[in-house]
Amino acid sequence: MDKRTPIIIDCDPGHDDAIMLMLAVGCRQFDIRAVTTCAGNQTQDKTLLNALRVLTLIGEEVPVYRGCEKPLFRNLVIGDYVHGESGIDGTELPAPGFAAKTGSAIAAIAAILEKATEQITIVATGPLTNIASLFLAFPELKPKIKQLVLMGGGITRGNYTPLAEFNIYIDPEAAAIVFNASVPLVMCGLDVTHKALFFEEDIERFRGMGNRTGKAVAELVQFFSVFYRSNRPELGGGAALHDPCTIAWLLEPSLFKSKPCFVDVETQGKLTTGATVVDFYNLLKRQPNTEVIYDVDREAFVNLLFASIQSLP
Ligand code: RIB
Ligand code: CA
């Protein structure tokens, strides 16, 4: 009997998505039924290629499916100003050792949910276009989802606009569908991910790990840090490892602090479109729909990553 937790991962690799995948594989605690890619940090062509290259690097062949090309109603805006031309600049990744599966990500996730004999956890670390499309096309499959653990949003501020975090901002309508879907949600927003920081000494520790994956993590974070050091000086020189917080929370929730809150998404505001409106003090007296994660033990988070990635090639 496979004791591992069955999960589906939807991501837009992306430096921190890549490290999230390494953690998800290296911890050996998850039965990864599929990896699906979304457009966000880069175009779908590039995020799909990057997912295949990262999984090849770590020697893990899992079914990979291509997701939606663009947001539900808006033009795609990419995050190349952080992640570079390839979407994962800064390290040499191998060419894919295997091909993506044919067929759409949405149909593939639906088939996995349909066939599953137990509930499946979904992890989403990019814009929520694929997830919203799944909920719209297959609402009857929502009960097969144990929980959706997503990186996105924030209680107090954004990182793409003053109040909107990138993943939510790129497809706010999709995010609004997801937060109103009555599926159990866990939100790792900027409040926690801006505490999940890697500093120079952490980079050097991974560089000296002795395997190719540790070296790749060091190079990825080194590149990622360039943006943070010049644009987020308040983080003290650290780079925010946003996406790995989702998997780390699934592995060790005790490292985090969270609160059940009612959350919805602004899609019309002139200045606020893409904001996750988190009712932290329950002022609206609405039923909480999201476990909002807002703090992490940084050192324990880094050690968890280190221990998991040590097991990879
Ligand atoms: O705002 C951070 C999020 O946007 C992360 O998921 C990062 O990979 C980018 O997609
Ligand atoms: Ca991402």
Side-chain angles (χ1 to χ4, degrees):
M1 167 77 174
D2 191 340
K3 285 272 190 238
R4 295 176 303 162
T5 304
I7 65 170
I8 293 168
I9 299 174
D10 187 66
C11 55
D12 61 336
H15 291 71
D16 52 332
D17 303 76
I19 298 170
M20 174 276 298
L21 288 172
M22 294 167 182
L23 176 59
V25 172
C27 70
R28 312 290 178 203
Q29 301 296 313
F30 298 105
D31 169 13
I32 303 174
R33 301 284 174 87
V35 171
T36 56
T37 55
C38 51
N41 283 329
Q42 257 296 352
T43 60
Q44 179 60 251
D45 281 346
K46 293 181 178 179
T47 59
L48 179 65
L49 175 62
N50 293 341
L52 294 167
R53 296 173 72 192
V54 169
L55 290 166
T56 299
L57 175 83
I58 62 178
E60 185 77 8
E61 182 169 343
V62 295
V64 177
Y65 295 87
R66 183 186 186 107
C68 299
E69 303 300 319
K70 63 176 286 295
L72 295 179
F73 304 107
R74 296 171 187 255
N75 293 328
L76 175 64
V77 171
I78 58 174
D80 54 346
Y81 60 97
V82 178
H83 297 273
E85 183 51 34
S86 72
I88 200 159
D89 287 10
T91 189
E92 269 312 302
L93 290 173
F98 61 98
K101 298 289 187 191
T102 54
S104 87
I106 314 311
I109 298 174
I112 292 166
L113 294 175
E114 182 84 48
K115 275 200 308 254
T117 55
E118 74 275 64
Q119 285 190 308
I120 307 282
T121 293
I122 299 181
V123 173
T125 62
L128 293 164
T129 315
N130 292 338
I131 308 301
S133 302
L134 172 77
F135 291 173
L136 292 173
F138 300 96
E140 73 282 4
L141 293 176
K142 287 184 198 174
K144 298 297 280 292
I145 300 169
K146 181 176 181 186
Q147 58 190 341
L148 170 64
V149 185
L150 65 94
M151 190 280 138
I155 304 170
T156 52
R157 67 169 68 90
N159 63 359
Y160 194 79
T161 74
L163 285 179
E165 177 277 328
F166 179 84
N167 287 340
I168 308 297
Y169 181 81
I170 297 310
D171 198 341
E173 287 77 17
I177 288 166
V178 168
F179 279 90
N180 287 280
S182 304
V183 165
L185 298 178
V186 178
M187 177 180 126
C188 297
L190 296 177
D191 313 275
V192 62
T193 68
H194 276 178
K195 295 170 187 163
L197 298 172
F198 249 54
F199 294 96
E200 196 57 43
E201 59 270 24
D202 303 309
I203 293 172
E204 292 317 312
R205 186 181 166 202
F206 276 72
R207 198 185 309 279
M209 187 182 277
N211 58 358
R212 65 177 190 237
T213 308
K215 178 173 173 289
V217 169
E219 291 168 349
L220 286 168
V221 180
Q222 195 76 60
F223 180 91
F224 202 43
S225 298
V226 170
F227 173 84
Y228 280 88
R229 287 174 190 159
S230 34
N231 295 279
R232 301 283 185 274
E234 301 79 9
L235 300 181
L241 286 205
H242 306 281
D243 296 336
C245 287
T246 56
I247 298 292
W249 180 83
L250 281 167
L251 285 171
E252 297 281 355
S254 63
L255 302 187
F256 297 84
K257 287 186 184 155
S258 66
K259 182 176 183 181
C261 303
F262 171 74
V263 181
D264 202 347
V265 179
E266 178 57 66
T267 59
Q268 310 290 326
K270 186 162 78 74
L271 296 172
T272 56
T273 287
T276 46
V277 180
V278 178
D279 189 359
F280 198 75
Y281 295 122
N282 195 20
L283 302 172
L284 300 175
K285 303 288 181 258
R286 298 282 300 266
Q287 181 66 28
N289 58 355
T290 307
E291 191 68 27
V292 176
I293 317 290
Y294 61 86
D295 199 1
V296 63
D297 174 339
R298 189 197 79 84
E299 276 201 27
F301 168 77
V302 174
N303 290 336
L304 176 62
L305 266 169
F306 193 89
S308 301
I309 288 170
Q310 232 173 2
S311 80
L312 295 170

